[in-house]
């Protein structure tokens, strides 16, 4: 699990639909940028997979790549998520780092 990366989750339910926003603190490097100090390419470092589980059951997943900006904000909509349900977001990147965060739907 990554310790220097932060994952924040916000949820808002209205009319039976829960909007989920996930903000991940991550560099999302493409491998094409040159470090101005060393003049060498910064190695690729990006989130590859993010999954969303509701009460232990996966309800959504996405494959990400180098085209996603630094500190990505990912949003999904869930229909029928009950108040009190546990939402868990897990991600992993191309360097073997991963993290997960959990929140309760209110």
């Amino acid at each position: 699990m990554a310790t220097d990366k932060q994952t924040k989750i916000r949820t808002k339910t209205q009319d039976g639909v829960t909007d989920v926003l996930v903000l991940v603190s991550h560099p999302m490097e493409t491998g094409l940028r040159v470090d101005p100090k060393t003049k060498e390419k910064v190695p690729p470092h990006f989130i590859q997979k993010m999954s969303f589980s509701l009460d232990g059951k996966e309800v959504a997943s996405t494959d990400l790549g180098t085209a996603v900006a630094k500190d990505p904000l990912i949003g999904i909509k869930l229909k029928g998520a009950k108040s009190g349900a546990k939402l868990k977001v897990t991600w992993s990147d191309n360097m073997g780092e991963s993290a997960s965060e959990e929140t309760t739907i209110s």
Side-chain angles (χ1 to χ4, degrees), residues 35-49:
D35 185 312
K37 292 181 182 174
T38 65
K39 306 295 186 217
E40 294 182 15
K41 283 189 176 179
V42 177
H45 188 192
F46 55 91
I47 296 173
Q48 289 181 306
K49 180 100 173 161

Side-chain angles (χ1 to χ4, degrees), residues 11-20 54 76-83 85 105-106:
T11 63
K12 181 181 178 183
T13 304
Q14 186 174 0
D15 298 327
V17 177
T18 302
D19 288 315
V20 178
L54 193 60
I76 66 168
K77 293 183 182 288
L78 299 173
K79 289 184 180 178
K82 305 281 186 214
S83 180
I105 304 287
S106 53

Side-chain angles (χ1 to χ4, degrees), residues 23-60:
L23 177 64
V24 180
S25 173
H26 195 282
M28 299 300 285
E29 289 289 348
T30 65
L32 301 175
R33 188 174 68 84
V34 176
D35 185 312
K37 292 181 182 174
T38 65
K39 306 295 186 217
E40 294 182 15
K41 283 189 176 179
V42 177
H45 188 192
F46 55 91
I47 296 173
Q48 289 181 306
K49 180 100 173 161
M50 185 177 286
S51 63
F52 300 81
S53 299
L54 193 60
D55 288 333
K57 180 182 175 190
E58 188 172 291
V59 293

Side-chain angles (χ1 to χ4, degrees), residues 28 46-52 58 60-69 72 74-76 90-94:
M28 299 300 285
F46 55 91
I47 296 173
Q48 289 181 306
K49 180 100 173 161
M50 185 177 286
S51 63
F52 300 81
E58 188 172 291
S61 68
T62 185
D63 294 322
L64 303 173
T66 59
V68 178
I74 308 295
I76 66 168
T90 305
W91 61 262
S92 60
D93 69 19
N94 68 314

